Amino acid sequence: MTQAPITQDVLTIPRKLPESGLTNLVGLTREGLKAALIEAGTPEKQAKMRTGQVWQWIYQKGVRDFAEMTNLAKDYRAFLAENFVIELPEIVTKQVSDDGTRKYLVRIAGGHEVEVVYIPEDSRGTLCISSQVGCTLTCSFCHTGTQKLVRNLTPGEIIGQVMLARDDLGEWPEPGRAPKDEARLLSNIVLMGMGEPLYNFENVRDAMKIAMDPEGISLSRRRITLSTSGVVPEIARTAEEIGCLLAVSFHATTDPVRDTLVPINKKWNIATLLDALRSYPKVSNSERITFEYVMLKDVNDSDEDAHRLIELIKGIPAKINLIPFNEWPGAPYQRSSNNRIRAFADIIYKAGYASPIRKPRGEDIMAACGQLKSATERVRKSRKAIEAEAGL
Ligand code: SAH
Ligand code: SF4
């Protein structure tokens, strides 16, 4: 049986863009932006003000050309253009599902690709973004898990996904007009695309700080949900340093089953994970932890599982999000029947927990949960290896 790699790869972050040799401003924190402006020659006394102005142009107004930054002196605009660029990852293809879901294939530096999914709903629009190209983990039901990790995304590549979706949705304010906050098309972010966000903690944190900055994209921390497979040491940090909502890929109610589904369980088992969640600093009834639970036929979907789940999470303000398994070519599992999913949901609901069944979105374009996989790394694990990891 192949041992799942569960260590974090340390990967270099490209700061300078190879094409132009100029520094990309997208993805720098406020402090980073200020330091970059000073290093290029902006007088220290002006730096704070210039940082605020440039920041607003980039993140509040969506401007990409320094020449359009009209509250800056012409020679300062020229200075910026000589030293910096404002660059986003590139959309390679865009597919639109029958249900309105949009899937973007996005190319980042080095020619790698990640997927980003936009899901429109009645009362909100959610962007599902990726944090890594591939994933070091090998959850046996997840398509991304069959793709080797290629690299961590930089903060610019992470926030860049949000910005290019806003481009595509036409959601930057028109010049001279105040930004409209109500009825945003892109109102929520979920870190549920490719990769394990807590194995790329700092970059995810910096990108989400940019997303939350009130003078920029300005999304509330309660509109951002980070999903982790259970990287226990980083869970408390998520509350302290990002402050967003947390979702956990729980998926099983016994360690032997969770070991095969979510192999990181071999490192931090169910009891250890639950301890970390119990002490998640900001948990309250209004900010419940979401337990994600993929419904796999005859694997984790019995009534006993539902009862065990209730026992396990006792005392944790929680909502249980049931995800009907989304198939992908070669997947070693089947989706539980609708009746089974409803019966499971019912038991949980009767115990006092919200138990919504996630409606698969964008299945026709392979955009549903766990179906994302880019062609960047074509070395596929064999079906046999996947089955071995799943203990089948
Ligand atoms: N790596 C993170 C976030 C990405 S996955 C994590 O594992 O939490 C987002 C959610 O989709 C996770 O709960 C994941 O377990 C689930 N998922 C993965 N593959 C799936 C599939 N084929 N069908 C349904 N859900 C899946
Ligand atoms: Fe990675 Fe999440 Fe997929 Fe597991 S479910 S392989 S952690 S992306």
Side-chain angles (χ1 to χ4, degrees), residues 128 131 135 137 139 141-144 191-197 227-230 247-251 262 292-296 323-328 358 368-371:
C128 178
S131 56
C135 188
L137 302 174
C139 303
F141 54 90
C142 172
H143 205 198
T144 311
L191 281 145
M192 293 186 185
M194 297 164 64
E196 169 48 61
S227 174
T228 180
S229 57
V248 175
S249 295
F250 208 63
H251 304 322
V262 190
E292 295 162 287
Y293 199 96
V294 62
M295 297 299 291
L296 304 170
I323 317 175
F325 174 59
N326 295 309
E327 301 211 350
W328 38 270
R358 195 181 288 173
C369 289
Q371 290 186 323

Side-chain angles (χ1 to χ4, degrees), residues 280-300:
Y280 191 71
K282 281 185 181 138
V283 171
S284 67
N285 254 326
S286 64
E287 292 185 25
R288 295 168 295 180
I289 289 177
T290 300
F291 284 75
E292 295 162 287
Y293 199 96
V294 62
M295 297 299 291
L296 304 170
K297 188 172 182 214
D298 299 332
V299 174
N300 64 355

Side-chain angles (χ1 to χ4, degrees), residues 19-187:
E19 297 80 23
S20 61
L22 302 178
T23 299
N24 188 8
L25 294 184
V26 177
L28 297 181
T29 57
R30 268 182 185 270
E31 302 74 56
L33 175 58
K34 187 174 165 204
L37 295 181
I38 292 172
E39 199 187 317
T42 304
E44 291 218 17
K45 272 211 239 149
Q46 293 178 12
K48 190 163 180 240
M49 185 178 71
R50 298 282 174 245
T51 301
Q53 290 168 321
V54 172
W55 185 275
Q56 285 189 2
W57 282 112
I58 299 176
Y59 297 114
Q60 198 169 63
K61 305 193 175 76
V63 160
R64 304 290 150 70
D65 183 349
F66 294 109
E68 288 174 38
M69 300 188 174
T70 46
N71 61 351
L72 300 174
K74 274 218 168 107
D75 53 352
Y76 193 71
R77 286 183 240 165
F79 154 83
L80 289 173
E82 278 160 25
N83 289 284
F84 302 109
V85 287
I86 302 169
E87 273 192 10
L88 301 188
E90 176 198 352
I91 297 182
V92 184
T93 56
K94 168 178 142 187
Q95 287 169 278
V96 183
S97 157
D98 294 342
D99 68 12
T101 301
R102 300 177 185 206
K103 181 168 89 169
Y104 309 100
L105 181 66
V106 170
R107 186 173 298 139
I108 58 170
H112 308 303
E113 286 163 357
V114 289
E115 292 184 321
V116 185
V117 178
Y118 173 72
I119 307 147
E121 288 173 283
D122 289 345
S123 56
R124 63 178 161 198
T126 304
L127 193 70
C128 178
I129 61 175
S130 294
S131 56
Q132 301 182 310
V133 186
C135 188
T136 45
L137 302 174
T138 52
C139 303
S140 49
F141 54 90
C142 172
H143 205 198
T144 311
T146 66
Q147 178 183 357
K148 285 186 187 164
L149 178 75
V150 179
R151 75 166 166 84
N152 283 336
L153 298 191
T154 64
E157 289 161 349
I158 298 169
I159 196 65
Q161 297 170 55
V162 178
M163 295 166 77
L164 59 82
R166 288 191 107 187
D167 282 355
D168 187 51
L169 296 165
E171 202 173 35
W172 297 103
E174 285 164 38
R177 285 227 204 130
K180 46 177 178 75
D181 270 342
E182 24 5 282
R184 282 205 198 182
L185 293 173
L186 199 171
S187 62

Side-chain angles (χ1 to χ4, degrees), residues 307 310 342-355:
H307 290 294
I310 295 161
R342 271 195 293 270
F344 195 96
D346 217 42
I347 294 173
I348 292 165
Y349 180 75
K350 285 197 177 118
Y353 295 96
S355 54

